[in-house]
Amino acid sequence: QGYSSAASDVYKRQMEQLDRKISLPELAEQYGLSLTMLKDCFKAVYGKPVHAFRREYKMQVATKLLTTTDMSITELAGEFGYENPNKFSTAFKEVIGVSPRAYRAKNK
């Protein structure tokens, strides 16, 4: 399996079920790669480590939900696997640059 094919498979798997954590050792085993190879091939193709890429992806999806739904911040946090809405808000602000409330107010 080539780097880009393995990275693509890992990408698809990571972007499913955004509400649960998927362990890298589990993914590496599933695709028959060492953990190091998994991390290296994903970063080579997508330019970021798996978890950083997934976190940014989650926040991009959250921006869409903030502007197209009336879901509460607590509901959104749960959609993305955050048990604590404050941790979701902190992650959102680190990635997007503003709080979820501020983003919704500015873009809805």
Side-chain angles (χ1 to χ4, degrees), residues 36-102:
T36 300
M37 174 136 337
L38 172 81
K39 290 176 180 180
D40 289 349
C41 75
F42 192 92
K43 190 170 183 179
V45 173
Y46 293 103
K48 294 181 184 229
V50 176
H51 288 302
F53 189 92
R54 188 166 195 250
R55 181 179 187 222
E56 289 182 19
Y57 180 82
K58 285 180 178 186
M59 297 308 135
Q60 291 300 324
V61 173
T63 64
K64 289 181 178 57
L65 292 175
L66 282 165
T67 58
T68 61
T69 73
D70 290 324
M71 292 175 73
S72 71
I73 304 304
T74 300
E75 289 171 319
L76 283 170
E79 283 288 308
F80 299 107
Y82 289 85
E83 292 178 19
N84 181 328
N86 291 332
K87 288 186 179 184
F88 167 75
S89 293
T90 298
F92 187 92
K93 188 171 185 176
E94 287 173 359
V95 173
I96 304 300
V98 295
S99 72
R101 288 191 204 301

Side-chain angles (χ1 to χ4, degrees), residues 12-55:
K12 289 175 192 164
R13 177 82 192 279
Q14 282 285 305
M15 300 314 133
E16 298 168 353
Q17 301 176 324
L18 293 175
D19 63 332
R20 78 179 270 268
K21 291 185 180 185
I22 299 172
S23 78
L24 294 183
E26 174 188 333
L27 285 171
E29 185 176 326
Q30 180 179 355
Y31 294 105
L33 301 169
S34 71
L35 186 56
T36 300
M37 174 136 337
L38 172 81
K39 290 176 180 180
D40 289 349
C41 75
F42 192 92
K43 190 170 183 179
V45 173
Y46 293 103
K48 294 181 184 229
V50 176
H51 288 302
F53 189 92
R54 188 166 195 250
R55 181 179 187 222

